[in-house]
Amino acid sequence: MKQKQKMLEKPSRSNSIMRNNPCIQIDGDTGHSSVTQVVQQYSPAHNDAVTSLASLTSEHCVSGGKDKTVVIYNWKTGGVQQKFIGHERDVTKVTCLFQSNRIFSASRDKTALMWDMYNKAGPLQEFTGHELVVTGLAVSPDGLQLCTGSRDNSMCIWDVETGNCLQSCSISRNLVTHICWVPAESLVIQTSEDKMIRIWDSRELQVTHTFPIKQYIQTHCDASPDGQYCITCSNGFSGEGCEATLWDLRQAKRKVCEYKGHLQTTAACIFLPSATSTLPLVATSAHDCTVKIWNRDTAVCVSSLCLDGAGPLTSLASSDAVNLLCGSFNTGIHHLQVNHSNSCSLSEVARF
């Protein structure tokens, strides 16, 4: 109980600051409009680039960084709630089950670790066996298994309680970039530097489907909450590549549409939780410092926000239809809000 009470201590915060976000685009408008926004500046979650984000509760997020730490942060009130130290090199991915107390992290030190939200004494479990950096991380919907992928071309399924590797499979040139587990299914989606998007059956760890090969490296993937779609995104430059693609996971398994508009590598793509009486939305963030919101079905960009000076944007996380978190290389984590009234708009409210 004392540990849980510690999570609720009021965090320290610094004064708000005034920032100018000069690159806001709304409803697909390609022109820029200047908007002065009061942005709350909280104490930083990391002292280096933020590499990965995940939503833990309705007010807490989990982040990993180049500073080798995993952090639980209360983004509603501001302040670090827990900081986990255990990895020997950069943290590459973090994941968790929403409203669960278990957190998973992967690292360039070739390991994945499991942590308890309320106990920072050390990791509960260590998953070792990869020969190179672990670049993919996903926990099963029931929380009993962990799937990891690596630049060593391999995918592994682990028993969360024992840390034992249950299945392992290696495919030549399959340099894993990201993994996501399809809700309520035994299916895992995986992107790779070989430009392939693979669907695995986690029970036997076998590839059951591959989508048509893309032109550029696939950097990230996400599955819709209903398990009917997945979205992937790619690297690129000068507007070539840089797109996100919506795929149908049902029987047809076809490409639905593409979201084009970023000018540099699109590093993250997620489905946004549904809001009352709104169209389904997806969000993307890229190395061009912009976050974009798209109509999922028409691929129309309904809002775009430039986070000036943030450097490459690395990751996205959202626990509800209004609040969106974005990790960056230069300026930590950005708390953004989606305004669904009238035309959809995106604004920055805090940084940490």
Side-chain angles (χ1 to χ4, degrees):
M1 180 62 72
K2 291 182 179 179
Q3 289 172 326
K4 291 188 178 183
Q5 289 175 342
K6 184 177 180 180
M7 294 287 296
L8 302 177
E9 292 177 0
K10 186 176 181 179
S12 61
R13 67 179 77 178
S14 58
N15 295 329
S16 351
I17 58 174
M18 185 76 73
R19 297 189 189 276
N20 186 33
N21 292 326
C23 305
I24 297 178
Q25 303 170 5
I26 300 174
D27 293 331
D29 184 5
T30 56
H32 294 344
S33 60
S34 182
V35 176
T36 300
Q37 173 82 27
V38 176
V39 178
Q40 185 78 35
Q41 181 68 65
Y42 294 122
S43 57
H46 297 272
N47 58 25
D48 206 330
V50 177
T51 54
S52 186
L53 280 171
S55 290
L56 180 60
T57 71
S58 59
E59 60 184 24
H60 293 98
C61 67
V62 182
S63 58
K66 289 177 68 67
D67 61 3
K68 309 175 188 178
T69 67
V70 177
V71 171
I72 299 175
Y73 203 97
N74 187 317
W75 53 266
K76 279 193 174 179
T77 60
V80 172
Q81 304 293 276
Q82 292 279 25
K83 179 173 286 190
F84 302 107
I85 299 174
H87 284 295
E88 297 178 358
R89 298 189 66 185
D90 308 6
V91 176
T92 55
K93 303 286 181 179
V94 293
T95 193
C96 58
L97 289 177
F98 189 59
Q99 302 290 10
S100 168
N101 66 321
R102 286 183 171 179
I103 298 161
F104 301 87
S105 58
S107 170
R108 295 187 67 85
D109 65 13
K110 309 174 189 178
T111 71
L113 300 176
M114 180 173 72
W115 311 86
D116 187 308
M117 175 178 179
Y118 301 108
N119 182 6
K120 64 177 182 179
L124 296 177
Q125 194 60 263
E126 184 173 354
F127 308 92
T128 59
H130 285 294
E131 298 178 357
L132 293 173
V133 51
V134 181
T135 46
L137 190 70
V139 60
S140 62
D142 60 10
L144 299 179
Q145 295 182 342
L146 183 71
C147 183
T148 60
S150 168
R151 288 183 62 86
D152 65 8
N153 304 322
S154 72
M155 295 272 288
C156 294
I157 298 289
W158 310 82
D159 184 288
V160 163
E161 298 300 331
T162 66
N164 293 333
C165 182
L166 304 176
Q167 303 277 354
S168 179
C169 182
S170 182
I171 297 177
S172 177
R173 300 179 62 193
N174 183 29
L175 282 73
V176 177
T177 57
H178 198 73
I179 295 170
C180 67
W181 212 299
V182 179
E185 297 283 352
S186 60
L187 301 177
V188 173
I189 304 166
Q190 176 246 315
T191 52
S192 171
E193 285 194 16
D194 68 2
K195 308 173 186 177
M196 294 290 290
I197 304 156
R198 297 176 173 88
I199 298 180
W200 297 76
D201 186 330
S202 64
R203 294 168 296 187
E204 300 295 332
L205 200 57
Q206 293 181 346
V207 176
T208 61
H209 184 77
T210 58
F211 291 110
I213 191 168
K214 299 285 287 182
Q215 187 176 359
Y216 292 87
I217 290 171
Q218 298 300 288
T219 56
H220 194 269
C221 57
D222 188 34
S224 61
D226 60 10
Q228 294 184 1
Y229 299 96
C230 77
I231 186 173
T232 63
C233 56
S234 75
N235 77 342
F237 52 91
S238 301
E240 295 295 326
C242 318
E243 81 278 354
T245 305
L246 181 70
W247 305 90
D248 194 329
L249 291 179
R250 292 165 292 185
Q251 188 172 359
K253 290 185 167 58
R254 60 184 176 87
K255 180 174 75 174
V256 180
C257 60
E258 290 185 327
Y259 311 93
K260 295 185 177 182
H262 285 294
L263 300 178
Q264 297 180 36
T265 294
T266 301
C269 53
I270 63 171
F271 292 91
L272 294 183
S274 297
T276 304
S277 302
T278 62
L279 297 170
L281 302 173
V282 297
T284 57
S285 64
H287 289 183
D288 60 11
C289 296
T290 63
V291 179
K292 293 181 182 292
I293 306 295
W294 311 81
N295 181 314
R296 187 197 69 186
D297 298 332
T298 66
V300 171
C301 180
V302 297
S303 186
S304 182
L305 177 65
C306 176
L307 300 174
D308 192 33
L313 304 182
T314 60
S315 49
L316 289 169
S318 182
S319 59
D320 58 45
V322 175
N323 297 287
L324 182 64
L325 302 175
C326 177
S328 72
F329 258 63
N330 297 339
T331 49
I333 300 171
H334 301 252
H335 174 199
L336 313 178
Q337 285 189 339
V338 183
N339 183 354
H340 294 277
S341 61
N342 298 321
S343 58
C344 183
S345 63
L346 192 61
S347 61
E348 181 182 14
V349 294
R351 294 187 182 187
F352 52 91

